Amino acid sequence: MNKPVVSYQLQNQLGIIHIDNPPVNALSHPVRAGIMSALALAAKDTSLALLILCRGRTFIAGADITEFGKPPLEPHLPDVITAIESSPKPVVAALHGNALGGGLEVALAAHYRCSVATTKLGLPEVKLGLLPGAGGTQRLPRVVGVEAALDMMTSGTPISAHKARELGLVDEVLEGELESTATDYANRLIAEGAPVRATGAQRADAPDSADFYDQYRSKISRKSRGQIAPGFIIELAELATHTDIDEGQAVERERFIECRNSPQASAMQYVFFAERATGKLGDIPKDTPVLPVQSVAVIGAGTMGGGIAMCLANAGIPVTLVETQQEFLDRGMATIKKNYATSVKRGRFSQEQADAFLANFSGTTNYADIGDVDIVIEAVFENMDIKKEVFAKLDASCKPGCILATNTSYLNVDEIAATTNRPQQVIGAHFFSPANVMKLLEVVRTEKTSPEVVQTFMKLAKKIGKIPVAVGVCNGFVGNRMLKGYARQAQLLLLEGASPEQIDQAMQTWGMAMGPIAVGDLAGLDIGYRSRRDQGIESRSVKESALADTLVEMERLGQKSGAGYYRYDAQTRERQSDPEVASLIENIAAQLNVKRREINDSEIVERLVLALVNEGAAILKEGIAARPSDIDIVYLNGYGFPAWRGGPMYYADTLGLDIVIDKLNALKALTGDPCWEPSALILEISEASMTLGSLN
Ligand code: 3H9
């Protein structure tokens, strides 16, 4: 017989409800039913208080996401929550691991909450296109106040147990082993005669300032542009200040169902599972050995190398920075120290944590000193000759089992691997800048990289907090290869009649974190300029880069030089339109015989997004990405694609592949550009009446 996921036992005067539903104690139907049965047993026995405890690595991490979209089964979670709060005997929730979503809502319904210090508490539903739908929007403001509750619910970011204690969300932070300390705490409450304390019985305090909600709304509409759940969350938190809990929960339920049935929620839940799928590589058996990683060296202490080294050090891995000269090493270390000091100032880390991270660093200018490390990540200048030189030195100095990784955004990793005597140990690692902040990591497998090396690197990536996506070798891998076509359309649209402002605004309104022109200015126009020259492309010889070449030659490199496509205020960095650029575009269009016309926003969005879709499909067909959802994860985490649209491949399915094909053909007819030839994969899948998602 299966072990019950919820069990109940009376220990002296304390009734203990144990939940044991691995991996994360999600509130699946048997758990909800089990809690109800336990409450019914407790109502009839001699217990004086109840304690909810979870087994395994975490408290309840939320509703069971895999149940969304299936026919709902009673008891519904809000009913379970109401039953907990209505218990005539005090209920204590003991938190460890993650108390998230429905899990925190269970805890909020309990009358007392205790927690071990490492617990994370949060309502992350917004990240799934949802809002807390089991009383969270009504109880959290009642416990921590409207503003703190809104910050938690609209960001979805969990808080620490200590912060929760400060806010009154946790009554007691436990020191020691969970079960015994939580039992002691609950027995102490019994001894003190602690009463039932139903959060829902009071109202939340209204904020002091009259325009609080307007201000909060405008802040959130900027941050979570296009999403429906955050607006509802604000409405519901306000309701908690002036309605009874039942009335508030009834409205919450309506809004929750509206979100749950929305395309946004489907997209964001797809993203949740897509993110977890990237680590599962179909051609690499699960039991492939993972090589031990005790120490890592990073070659190059510049911005990229420093950022990568910080990720490693933060994960407790000793890291040796290697530079050509002591002066560069000192400069790199000084920047790293400054970054940690800023993080401490902003409250991201404590001083003790920062000190512990810094203790993981060492530095050298001598390759002989890294002979024993398990992995080397090279992060030198993006130039094939320089990288080959470094790899030759690494191959000679590092122990035979050492994995050699190259941080590159475009270069052919097969070619780099071929210069060594250990091509099976060579792998690409495309980190995104700033490397200590951006979560995406393209892990580039060469023809020869061994399964153990891939597995080991994917595992290391997770350990250092990255979302690793395995990709194959091609120019620009997945992300930058797709970006090329996207950025090219933006340039052509400029020449054809759209302004930088119109393009950026259209894409932002559609949901991109930033428009492509502003991104160019942020990244620096000189990078593309140098790369084109490296590839032997003459300045201004290509239509789609004529404008960018001209700007660089005018020393307009983007934000860093105060001007690019836009002008930037020296103090505030605020961007302003520049009439000089507008006339420059007109001149270049005239020189290149590009006919200018009025372009509407929907054409801008269509051309940019379909360029991503078509190239993404080509990438899939070539096997550079293993599955469509991997491409989506790259675009969401590296390029500011809106999560609520699921990613370019998912979006193509929501449009319908037949419509995608019609639109591509129409663009081909309009522009005569062969780039609009529908990708073979899209044609095949559409012909078979399937979706790209069916390849996941
Ligand atoms: C909600 O609660 C709505 C309510 O307000 C109202 C309802 C009426 N359900 O992430 P991991 C799986 S919405 C089902 O790799 P970690 C996950 O897919 C929910 N499955 O581990 C994976 O499966 P596999 C609000 C879930 O240690 C395995 O567990 N809650 C759920 O890196 C391990 O997960 C959230 O949004 C779930 N809720 O991180 C929290 N959660 O091994 C979502 C996980 O087959 N969860 N799985 O790939 C998380 O954020 C992380 O999983 C957590 C652990 C931080 C808990």
Side-chain angles (χ1 to χ4, degrees):
M1 224 175 76
N2 285 343
K3 218 168 57 154
V5 291
V6 179
S7 58
Y8 177 74
Q9 103 204 85
L10 187 61
Q11 240 182 45
N12 303 319
Q13 296 169 315
L14 185 63
I16 304 186
I17 302 175
H18 267 121
I19 299 175
D20 189 2
N21 185 30
V24 295
N25 288 314
L27 288 156
S28 342
H29 174 250
V31 175
R32 300 196 302 273
I35 296 175
M36 289 303 251
S37 307
L39 289 173
L41 287 176
K44 289 193 222 122
D45 68 17
T46 54
S47 58
L48 295 180
L50 307 179
L51 175 66
I52 303 178
L53 259 175
C54 288
R55 297 215 193 275
R57 56 173 154 140
T58 182
F59 189 71
I60 304 164
D64 184 343
I65 304 168
T66 60
E67 282 185 358
F68 294 153
K70 295 185 188 157
L73 289 173
E74 289 185 353
H76 302 307
L77 187 56
D79 300 332
V80 177
I81 300 254
T82 303
I84 295 172
E85 189 168 73
S86 318
S87 160
K89 302 175 184 184
V91 181
V92 184
L95 316 180
H96 76 291
N98 295 283
L100 300 178
L104 186 58
E105 290 174 303
V106 165
L108 279 162
H111 308 121
Y112 297 90
R113 289 166 288 278
C114 59
S115 161
V116 295
T118 49
T119 313
K120 298 268 181 239
L121 300 87
L123 290 175
E125 285 86 345
V126 74
K127 294 187 176 168
L128 299 169
L130 300 171
L131 49 87
T137 65
Q138 299 307 293
R139 287 193 182 83
L140 191 62
R142 284 168 156 89
V143 175
V144 303
V146 170
E147 186 165 6
L150 278 177
D151 288 348
M152 284 175 72
M153 293 191 286
T154 57
S155 71
T157 309
I159 58 170
S160 68
H162 286 292
K163 178 78 189 166
R165 175 78 194 85
E166 260 171 56
L167 290 172
L169 180 55
V170 158
D171 300 293
E172 179 103 348
V173 177
L174 306 169
E175 273 174 34
E177 191 271 327
L178 171 76
E179 182 149 355
S180 60
T181 50
T183 309
D184 289 349
Y185 172 67
N187 279 322
R188 201 165 4 114
L189 290 175
I190 294 176
E192 287 165 4
V196 157
R197 208 180 50 167
T199 299
Q202 337 112 33
R203 299 254 165 96
D205 291 334
D208 294 337
S209 122
D211 60 356
F212 170 83
Y213 294 108
D214 288 342
Q215 283 189 10
Y216 209 92
R217 253 188 204 97
S218 81
K219 181 173 98 178
I220 289 305
S221 65
R222 276 196 309 273
K223 272 197 188 162
S224 34
R225 218 167 336 105
Q227 289 183 53
I228 54 172
F232 286 155
I233 289 172
I234 300 172
E235 175 203 349
L236 289 161
E238 184 173 6
L239 217 55
T241 64
H242 57 80
T243 50
D244 290 343
I245 188 89
D246 292 345
E247 206 181 313
Q249 272 191 231
V251 182
E252 178 193 74
R253 185 78 191 151
E254 272 176 37
R255 300 287 183 266
F256 175 79
I257 290 171
E258 189 173 339
C259 288
R260 193 188 63 192
N261 295 342
S262 70
Q264 294 193 356
S266 307
M268 293 171 93
Q269 285 156 37
Y270 156 83
V271 171
F272 178 83
F273 291 109
E275 202 173 296
R276 279 147 187 86
T278 64
K280 296 169 186 154
L281 303 175
D283 61 336
I284 298 189
K286 256 194 177 162
D287 54 1
T288 303
V290 172
L291 311 169
V293 180
Q294 316 280 4
S295 60
V296 177
V298 174
I299 315 294
T303 314
M304 216 53 201
I308 296 169
M310 285 175 77
C311 300
L312 293 158
N314 296 1
I317 301 171
V319 51
T320 307
L321 275 175
V322 184
E323 258 300 352
T324 47
Q325 292 176 39
Q326 188 61 40
E327 183 197 339
F328 299 153
L329 205 51
D330 293 343
R331 201 187 301 155
M333 271 321 294
T335 308
I336 288 167
K337 283 184 185 154
K338 206 169 110 203
N339 288 344
Y340 279 125
T342 310
S343 294
V344 170
K345 214 187 278 166
R346 291 192 183 150
R348 222 182 124 219
F349 302 131
S350 66
Q351 187 60 52
E352 295 74 52
Q353 280 174 308
D355 291 344
F357 299 152
L358 274 167
N360 288 327
F361 281 89
S362 58
T364 182
T365 53
N366 186 353
Y367 277 58
D369 292 342
I370 56 165
D372 281 335
V373 298
D374 300 308
I375 296 193
V376 177
I377 302 175
E378 161 278 307
V380 303
F381 195 65
E382 183 82 336
N383 174 286
M384 185 55 100
D385 293 338
I386 301 177
K387 296 219 185 232
K388 281 183 179 171
E389 213 175 286
V390 170
F391 267 71
K393 280 206 249 173
L394 290 174
D395 199 23
S397 345
C398 297
K399 67 180 180 189
C402 176
I403 297 174
L404 305 180
T406 171
N407 171 58
T408 171
S409 6
Y410 287 96
L411 296 178
N412 186 329
V413 187
D414 276 307
E415 199 178 323
I416 297 173
T419 62
T420 71
N421 292 311
R422 57 176 100 189
Q424 75 290 348
Q425 299 283 113
V426 176
I427 195 160
H430 178 204
F431 284 87
F432 286 68
S433 186
N436 53 321
V437 177
M438 296 288 283
K439 295 198 84 179
L440 180 64
L441 174 59
E442 286 183 321
V443 176
V444 189
R445 303 169 62 173
T446 72
E447 268 175 15
K448 300 206 169 127
T449 316
S450 79
E452 290 81 9
V453 168
V454 175
Q455 194 86 321
T456 303
F457 211 85
M458 295 290 284
K459 185 100 191 272
L460 174 73
K462 283 218 160 148
K463 185 166 179 192
I464 64 173
K466 300 295 170 205
I467 303 172
V469 179
V471 300
V473 174
C474 67
N475 189 275
F477 315 120
V478 170
N480 283 345
R481 173 167 157 187
M482 285 166 71
L483 184 69
K484 202 171 165 193
Y486 172 88
R488 175 171 176 268
Q489 286 307 315
Q491 292 296 316
L492 295 178
L493 282 160
L494 284 176
L495 296 179
E496 288 169 39
S499 66
E501 298 77 6
Q502 188 195 1
I503 294 175
D504 283 340
Q505 192 54 55
M507 293 315 292
Q508 274 207 353
T509 306
W510 188 78
M512 296 297 288
M514 242 179 142
I517 309 295
V519 167
D521 270 357
L522 181 68
L525 305 183
D526 50 328
I527 298 173
Y529 183 88
R530 261 202 318 268
S531 149
R532 288 188 291 277
R533 299 305 82 83
D534 282 352
Q535 293 168 56
I537 304 169
E538 254 179 61
S539 173
R540 288 184 258 183
S541 63
V542 179
K543 195 160 54 165
E544 61 263 25
S545 44
L547 172 62
D549 284 345
T550 311
L551 289 171
V552 172
E553 284 163 14
M554 291 165 72
E555 288 176 26
R556 299 181 65 125
L557 310 183
Q559 282 200 22
K560 61 181 156 193
S561 68
Y565 295 102
Y566 297 98
R567 289 209 155 273
Y568 295 88
D569 185 283
Q571 257 80 50
T572 62
R573 284 203 172 183
E574 209 173 299
R575 75 171 186 235
Q576 296 143 12
S577 304
D578 192 341
E580 202 184 326
V581 172
S583 51
L584 186 66
I585 295 172
E586 282 181 29
N587 291 342
I588 294 176
Q591 282 160 24
L592 297 171
N593 293 324
V594 179
K595 208 168 135 228
R596 287 174 64 81
R597 63 188 165 92
E598 188 125 325
I599 290 177
N600 60 32
D601 290 358
S602 57
E603 181 181 337
I604 295 173
V605 170
E606 201 160 88
R607 282 173 62 173
L608 267 66
V609 177
L610 288 183
L612 292 178
V613 168
N614 213 25
E615 193 63 28
I619 283 173
L620 265 179
K621 176 89 181 159
E622 289 169 33
I624 298 293
R627 47 173 94 81
S629 64
D630 282 1
I631 296 182
D632 287 332
I633 291 304
V634 167
Y635 254 77
L636 298 174
N637 292 288
Y639 299 86
F641 199 96
W644 54 272
R645 291 196 190 270
M649 301 290 103
Y650 181 91
Y651 177 69
D653 278 341
T654 61
L655 276 181
L657 292 189
D658 47 347
I659 292 177
V660 169
I661 293 169
D662 288 349
K663 285 180 185 286
L664 289 170
N665 283 329
L667 284 169
K668 193 168 62 174
L670 175 77
T671 61
D673 191 331
C675 78
W676 297 124
E677 191 61 48
S679 129
L681 184 77
I682 295 186
L683 292 172
E684 279 164 31
I685 300 278
S686 164
E687 184 70 35
S689 304
M690 282 159 54
T691 58
L692 290 167
S694 65
L695 304 178
N696 278 320

